[in-house]
Amino acid sequence: MALLEVKDLKVHFPIRGGIFNTVVDQVKAVDGVNFSIEPGQTYGLVGESGSGKTTTGRAVIGLNKITSGDVLFEGHNLAKGGRKSHLNVRKDIQMIFQDPYSSLNPKKRVADIVAEPLRNFEKLTKKEERVRVEELMELVGLSTEAIFKYPHEFSGGQRQRIGIARAIALKPKLIIADEPVSALDVSVQAQVLNFMQEIQKELGLTYLFISHDLGIVRHICDHIGIMYKGRYVEQGASEDIFTNPQHIYTKRLVSAIPDLDPNRRESLTVKRQQAKKDFDELSDKFFDEEGLPYPLKPISDSHLVALPEKG
Amino acid sequence: METNNPNIEPPKEIERSPSGLTILWREIVRDKLALISLIFFVATTAGVFIASLLLDLNEIVKVDLFALYERPSSEFWLGTDYGGRDIFGQLIIGTRNSLAIGLLVTLMSGTIGILIGLISGYFGGTIDNIFMRFVDFFMILPTLMIVIVFVTAVPDYSIYSFSFIMTAFLWMGIARLIRSKALQERELEYVQASKTLGSSDFKIMFTQVLPNLSSIIIVTMTLNLAANIGIESGLSFLGFGFPEDTPSLGTLISYARNPQTLELRWWIWLPASILILVLMLSINNVGQALKRATDARQRRG
Amino acid sequence: MWKLIVRRILIMIPQIFVLSLLVFIMAKAMPGDALTGLIDPNIDPAAIEAMRERLGLNNPWYVQYWDWVTRAMQGDLGQSFHFKMPVTELIGQRLVNTFWLSLATLIFTYMIAIPLGITSGRYNDTFLDRAITGYTYVGFAAPLFITALLMLFVFGFQLGWFPTGGSVSPGSAAGTWDYILSKAYHLILPAFSMAVITTVSTVQYLRSEIIDTKQKEFIITARAKGASESRVYNRHILRNSLLPIAAFFGYEITGLIGGTIFIENIFNYPGMGQLFLQSITRRDFSVMTACVLLFGIAAIIGALISDIILSLVDPRIRIK
């Protein structure tokens, strides 16, 4: 059974305007998204900025109000009821944030930051809490002596580790990682990603990995969904997406992944130009009259593509 | 504001980084003018409160017909007023009263302002709209007039009703400030993070957002203290402040509304005027130094 | 743009409504009604009751409120029970005096603020700037009434340079040159006393605005193009810094109202502020309500004008 199942999720934001500040329009940030994640896997949600990938993640964890649709987590429908209604289910879903600088409260010491979830859900004595915090710090590879420091005394990578320590404090099942490394130096990105994979194995975590970087997603994700303007354009196993992309948008994204091998530079450039040409010429065919992707259609057991009706 | 708990003693000596408040304190000590101002303010406050315990209030406000309008002398250090009452004694009692009400009003209006600003900014939306329309409206109104009218209208007028009326019209400024800061804070990811970690809105507001506003609160409250002492003495000066039996610094200055007193009997109103000026200046100095300390761009060291 | 202005004007309507309600409640909250202080205790209580009835004082409050509002909108603010004359007539001359006082104050405010602010901003961290900053420091802390008292004491009584009270010398006939000069002469000290305090925030604003603008890219570009220093200041910096200040005058009105209450009291200047205080001590409540209402409307309109000008001048500022 899937750990998380999202069915026809819609998140719309009202646009207010006019003299009386009435609702004049809707931004359809997420407009009918379906996917499911199996336990222990890493699901990548990919798209450019404004595609709705972050909003999807935030809606699953309850930070954005869901307009319609279902979010089933181990059989509980999180779309029904407010943020407070499924507190004990929600503690099994945690989040790693994009910006390691603003996601840690600058006025709190690390001990307090990491202990925050423990204080909310587990009644621990001061001593027990201290022990748990130190365990977590060791787990994420930070010195236990650092717990009385403030976040600004750490580097970006260390801060992200503190964020991860906080996210795993409650031993969650699902972690939503919203661009967890995009604010970090490239040299640190790999460290943090490898570390995330290590603790995934160790703690049996499931990831919903949100990123704009296909290069990263390729390395760590089992399944991938590609979003465009609030909808899916393509979904499938990692292999399907990278070796057999069907949608012109996916093709273009895949061709844009940089490659370090200088011998393949030429052929890559040709491929990229071809993808751009296809995208420009065929976009009428692959997108509807509003420029939005069509509904998904299966082309194999694991692979779904948003193709036009007669495609 | 600090959340580290004193009863978990680190088993080994672990160095704790200085907290925000410690940094604020260091900045004040480094700024000589602010330090002198702070010492002056604390000394004056302590001085008048202790002295007023020793002074006999009845002795001071007793009318002495044989000593009307005495010039300063060894018996009356600052002379006497139209009722032959000792100005120096009144100055001490008046300073104590002015400071006490200034502090009281600052704390009350600060608490209300912080609460409303925090709620308004944190939740945003309709609540915010309603509160801010209300605050905008009262910020435009000439509140001094309205306070004067209320002071006249209240039956059983006392120091308490006076401070409540002042508070009722003085919380808006700080509410608006706190609201705009809270609005910025709630967009930061640490607030989102707290939500996903299961903290309630109430808890996030008071234990996560509020500490981040602590320095701006301290600065504003300090500057408000000076302003409120000014407003109180102004109202007392016009005759709409303290009840007559409780002298404030403004009451002493109000004798100067009589042109003869203003022109010829400077000892009655001038000391109180200068004292207010110096007090407000020193509180402002501390406030400005704190402001510089919280603004990293202007920090001195 | 039009949308903004219309919306801002629409906001004003409930503001004026709430103000009128507030003023009405205040009038009702006053100890005693209009007749309490007026009537001879010898008059038959039945006659008082009849008079009450006739004046509508026995009607439910909303009827009274409605009567009061409709009459006020027609320019009838009731009778002053102390002066035995219509409030509108009583206020007329006072309003003119307060208007001149406020105008003179505004002129002084800008006359002080602009040169000081520009000097302080342009030559920041020089001796001159420190002196000006020191002045703003003291001016920010000093209460208006103490400053005014000291000014009156020094320039009015000790040095005798200015008159110590009134709005015009007794004996000068209205309309003559002497009369106008005497009026202006009486205005200088009160207006200047108020301006030295109200100007402080403008000086500070102008200083920090200029220092900020000085470091902006477009100024550096202008310098790099070889523009002369005076051209940089006159064409680039001042244009950016002075416009918002000019637009602030509407917001100043609220402060001016508070100021005139003190200033008119201290300088014994027959304006609205003095009338307001007198009406309270004399329990002349129809005059009091009229003062609060007029001052309140003036402040609301002032804020409206400033908001609109600012939104025209500075597109970053949007009225919500």
Side-chain angles (χ1 to χ4, degrees):
Chain A
M1 196 189 99
L3 180 73
L4 177 77
E5 210 175 343
V6 173
K7 287 182 182 166
D8 200 22
L9 178 74
K10 287 182 183 172
V11 181
H12 295 178
F13 298 109
I15 304 174
R16 288 174 184 276
I19 288 176
F20 293 104
N21 234 359
T22 41
V23 178
V24 290
D25 205 356
Q26 303 270 344
V27 178
K28 297 178 174 173
V30 179
D31 196 24
V33 159
N34 296 284
F35 64 91
S36 60
I37 309 178
E38 302 298 322
Q41 296 216 314
T42 303
Y43 186 94
L45 203 51
V46 182
E48 55 195 280
S49 27
S51 62
K53 57 189 192 304
T54 298
T55 312
T56 308
R58 290 168 54 100
V60 169
I61 203 164
L63 287 176
N64 280 129
K65 241 185 111 192
I66 293 170
T67 310
S68 71
D70 297 313
V71 175
L72 298 169
F73 181 79
E74 293 187 316
H76 301 273
N77 192 346
L78 301 181
K80 304 280 178 285
R83 184 160 68 85
K84 290 180 193 79
S85 57
H86 299 281
L87 263 186
N88 280 317
V89 184
R90 280 187 200 279
K91 84 183 184 44
D92 289 336
I93 309 177
Q94 287 301 327
M95 188 151 177
I96 299 171
F97 289 85
Q98 177 177 3
D99 180 3
Y101 292 89
S102 83
S103 62
L104 305 179
N105 191 337
K107 291 274 167 171
K108 298 278 177 181
R109 294 176 197 271
V110 173
D112 294 313
I113 291 174
V114 177
E116 188 186 347
L118 299 174
R119 290 176 192 166
N120 283 332
F121 289 103
E122 291 174 31
K123 299 272 166 282
L124 298 178
T125 65
K126 290 282 162 202
K127 232 186 195 154
E128 290 168 340
E129 182 187 297
R130 175 82 188 269
V131 171
R132 282 286 292 281
V133 170
E134 285 184 349
E135 279 171 17
L136 286 164
M137 292 297 278
E138 267 163 25
L139 192 62
V140 297
L142 289 171
S143 140
T144 53
E145 285 162 28
I147 63 172
F148 289 116
K149 287 193 168 151
Y150 286 97
H152 65 84
E153 296 167 80
F154 295 89
S155 70
Q158 288 172 322
R159 283 162 153 259
Q160 204 56 309
R161 284 167 191 262
I162 296 170
I164 293 171
R166 173 174 68 179
I168 58 177
L170 292 173
K171 305 193 173 77
K173 293 170 182 152
L174 173 67
I175 286 188
I176 297 171
D178 182 9
E179 309 240 15
V181 295
S182 63
L184 302 177
D185 284 350
V186 180
S187 55
V188 186
Q189 286 189 352
Q191 271 181 36
V192 173
L193 286 174
N194 289 340
F195 164 69
M196 281 178 70
Q197 284 182 309
E198 278 166 32
I199 58 166
Q200 178 172 34
K201 271 182 219 126
E202 206 166 317
L203 305 173
L205 295 170
T206 310
Y207 284 136
L208 172 57
F209 193 92
I210 298 166
S211 179
H212 64 272
D213 189 339
L214 267 181
I216 289 173
V217 168
R218 171 189 228 162
H219 286 294
I220 69 168
C221 293
D222 306 302
H223 284 269
I224 293 168
I226 312 267
M227 278 185 84
Y228 180 71
K229 291 191 179 173
R231 293 186 188 176
Y232 262 47
V233 291
E234 194 156 349
Q235 171 176 264
S238 232
E239 256 183 50
D240 297 332
I241 299 290
F242 285 102
T243 55
N244 186 23
Q246 287 300 306
H247 199 278
I248 48 167
Y249 184 71
T250 320
K251 281 181 188 165
R252 217 180 148 192
L253 285 182
V254 171
S255 74
I257 301 172
D259 197 313
L260 285 178
D261 185 355
N263 300 325
R264 289 171 53 190
R265 199 169 287 158
E266 292 278 305
S267 64
L268 249 166
T269 316
V270 176
K271 242 167 102 185
R272 238 168 250 170
Q273 278 159 351
Q274 180 62 38
K276 183 175 187 304
K277 213 175 118 213
D278 284 352
F279 188 79
D280 291 341
E281 282 168 5
L282 299 172
S283 60
D284 281 350
K285 190 178 159 236
F286 277 89
F287 297 109
D288 66 13
E289 52 272 24
E290 287 173 73
L292 296 171
Y294 289 101
L296 290 177
K297 273 206 257 342
I299 60 165
S300 78
D301 284 350
S302 62
H303 196 170
L304 298 140
V305 187
L307 291 174
E309 291 299 319
K310 283 167 220 143
Chain B
M1 279 332 127
E2 269 316 300
T3 44
N4 57 62
N5 204 307
N7 44 24
I8 32 160
E9 277 305 315
K12 49 194 173 218
E13 233 8 81
I14 290 175
E15 200 197 334
R16 285 174 179 237
S17 304
S19 72
L21 293 178
T22 323
I23 293 172
L24 226 52
W25 173 249
R26 278 188 201 164
E27 284 295 313
I28 288 286
V29 175
R30 209 169 284 168
D31 188 331
K32 288 292 163 283
L33 185 63
L35 185 63
I36 293 168
S37 301
L38 184 67
I39 292 170
F40 171 78
F41 174 68
V42 173
T44 315
T45 313
V48 293
F49 274 93
I50 294 167
S52 62
L53 288 178
L54 305 173
L55 286 173
D56 184 358
L57 185 68
N58 291 325
E59 189 61 35
I60 287 165
V61 296
K62 202 178 71 187
V63 175
D64 180 357
L65 293 176
F66 298 103
L68 301 188
Y69 291 134
E70 289 268 353
R71 289 190 153 267
S73 62
S74 56
E75 187 186 354
F76 302 109
W77 289 357
L78 286 170
T80 61
D81 68 0
Y82 70 95
R85 290 169 291 206
D86 179 28
I87 299 286
F88 184 72
Q90 288 193 59
L91 196 62
I92 288 187
I93 305 282
T95 310
R96 183 201 63 178
N97 290 344
S98 286
L99 282 174
I101 203 153
L103 285 166
L104 182 69
V105 170
T106 307
L107 286 180
M108 290 201 299
S109 60
T111 313
I112 297 173
I114 291 166
L115 276 178
I116 291 188
L118 200 54
I119 292 171
S120 194
Y122 179 80
F123 287 108
T126 318
I127 302 178
D128 181 44
N129 248 323
I130 294 170
F131 273 139
M132 284 307 118
R133 279 292 91 80
F134 190 76
V135 167
D136 281 348
F137 175 65
F138 275 94
M139 296 279 282
I140 298 171
L141 283 192
T143 34
L144 182 76
M145 292 181 94
I146 298 175
V147 169
I148 290 175
V149 172
F150 272 101
V151 164
T152 330
V154 164
D156 297 330
Y157 183 65
S158 69
I159 301 178
Y160 297 104
S161 39
F162 177 49
S163 29
F164 284 131
I165 294 170
M166 272 182 77
T167 305
F169 290 94
L170 289 174
W171 57 265
M172 288 97 172
I174 189 165
R176 189 140 84 173
L177 183 75
I178 295 297
R179 176 250 179 194
S180 70
K181 294 289 166 191
L183 213 56
Q184 291 168 11
E185 289 294 322
R186 75 168 187 154
E187 295 305 321
L188 295 180
E189 280 185 344
Y190 77 84
V191 173
Q192 318 287 336
S194 282
K195 287 184 183 174
T196 66
L197 297 170
S199 301
S200 65
D201 285 325
F202 186 80
K203 214 168 172 181
I204 297 173
M205 261 195 281
F206 289 98
T207 64
Q208 302 283 334
V209 176
L210 197 58
N212 279 287
L213 306 179
S214 58
S215 37
I216 194 158
I217 288 174
I218 293 171
V219 171
T220 321
M221 296 274 262
T222 315
L223 294 177
N224 277 0
L225 174 64
N228 290 343
I229 292 175
I231 294 171
E232 176 276 316
S233 54
L235 283 166
S236 298
F237 169 76
L238 291 175
F240 297 97
F242 273 79
E244 276 159 35
D245 56 341
T246 335
S248 106
L249 286 174
T251 323
L252 276 174
I253 305 174
S254 75
Y255 295 136
R257 284 159 74 201
N258 176 348
Q260 290 216 311
T261 306
L262 179 64
E263 190 182 355
L264 304 169
R265 302 184 195 104
W266 56 268
W267 60 88
I268 295 179
W269 61 273
L270 199 57
S273 302
I274 292 172
L275 190 57
I276 292 190
L277 218 59
V278 178
L279 267 178
M280 284 178 65
L281 210 54
S282 59
I283 301 173
N284 267 312
N285 277 339
V286 176
Q288 299 289 357
L290 288 171
K291 202 173 186 175
R292 277 196 299 274
T294 55
D295 184 353
R297 280 191 310 171
Q298 292 185 31
R299 203 174 286 170
R300 295 185 175 190
Chain C
M1 190 50 64
W2 273 112
K3 233 190 240 169
L4 281 175
I5 293 172
V6 171
R7 201 150 89 197
R8 184 58 187 80
I9 292 173
L10 282 177
I11 291 174
M12 199 178 78
I13 295 170
Q15 283 182 339
I16 290 187
F17 170 71
V18 175
L19 173 75
S20 71
L21 208 60
L22 193 71
V23 170
F24 181 76
I25 292 169
M26 287 194 303
K28 287 288 129 189
M30 280 312 203
D33 62 30
L35 293 183
T36 324
L38 168 82
I39 294 155
D40 203 305
N42 301 328
I43 297 179
D44 176 24
I48 297 181
E49 201 41 46
M51 209 160 162
R52 279 225 158 86
E53 189 64 46
R54 194 167 54 78
L55 288 172
L57 291 175
N58 290 342
N59 289 337
W61 68 269
Y62 49 87
V63 176
Q64 289 191 41
Y65 170 72
W66 184 244
D67 285 348
W68 175 73
V69 166
T70 44
R71 267 186 278 128
M73 280 200 282
Q74 290 157 10
D76 174 11
L77 292 166
Q79 286 277 324
S80 159
F81 288 94
H82 184 265
F83 293 98
K84 307 272 185 298
M85 64 195 281
V87 173
T88 338
E89 243 171 77
L90 180 67
I91 283 177
Q93 187 53 42
R94 305 278 195 139
L95 202 58
V96 174
N97 282 342
T98 298
F99 172 77
W100 288 119
L101 177 63
S102 309
L103 189 70
T105 308
L106 272 180
I107 292 171
F108 276 129
T109 304
Y110 288 123
M111 267 170 58
I112 301 169
I114 292 171
L116 290 195
I118 290 174
T119 320
S120 188
R122 181 164 175 178
Y123 306 106
N124 64 310
D125 291 330
T126 59
F127 174 73
L128 212 54
D129 171 45
R130 290 216 186 93
I132 294 170
T133 315
Y135 156 63
T136 60
Y137 239 73
V138 177
F140 182 75
L144 174 66
F145 71 102
I146 291 179
T147 316
L149 272 180
L150 290 172
M151 296 287 258
L152 179 61
F153 180 63
V154 174
F155 296 105
F157 285 107
Q158 298 298 316
L159 298 172
W161 291 358
F162 294 99
T164 55
S167 73
V168 67
S169 312
S172 46
T176 61
W177 257 116
D178 277 354
Y179 180 81
I180 296 170
L181 281 180
S182 166
K183 278 231 144 185
Y185 188 40
H186 279 79
L187 271 179
I188 295 175
L189 193 59
F192 187 73
S193 307
M194 182 143 66
V196 288
I197 299 298
T198 51
T199 199
V200 162
S201 56
T202 319
V203 177
Q204 287 173 336
Y205 178 84
L206 199 54
R207 177 182 186 268
S208 63
E209 217 17 59
I210 289 176
I211 293 175
D212 270 3
T213 319
K214 262 200 315 206
Q215 293 151 352
K216 293 242 170 79
E217 302 278 324
F218 73 94
I219 296 300
I220 296 167
T221 313
R223 283 227 174 82
K225 285 191 304 188
S228 72
E229 200 60 4
S230 65
R231 194 186 152 89
V232 168
Y233 273 89
N234 296 334
R235 297 288 296 271
H236 296 284
I237 295 182
L238 291 186
R239 200 196 317 192
N240 272 286
S241 313
L242 284 182
L243 269 176
I245 287 192
F248 281 160
F249 90 91
Y251 299 130
E252 303 269 355
I253 290 178
T254 307
L256 280 177
I257 291 169
T260 52
I261 293 177
F262 284 110
I263 292 287
E264 293 181 4
N265 190 272
I266 291 167
F267 290 90
N268 198 18
Y269 183 89
M272 290 286 286
Q274 201 195 34
L275 181 69
F276 168 69
L277 287 183
Q278 286 169 346
S279 70
I280 287 189
T281 30
R282 288 170 184 149
R283 314 208 154 263
D284 199 352
F285 297 135
S286 49
V287 177
M288 180 206 83
T289 42
C291 288
V292 180
L293 189 68
L294 287 180
F295 272 163
I297 290 175
I300 289 176
I301 291 176
L304 170 82
I305 294 171
S306 277
D307 275 352
I308 291 178
I309 297 179
L310 268 179
S311 70
L312 294 176
V313 172
D314 189 344
R316 285 171 305 179
I317 297 168
R318 285 274 174 258
I319 308 155
K320 247 193 100 184

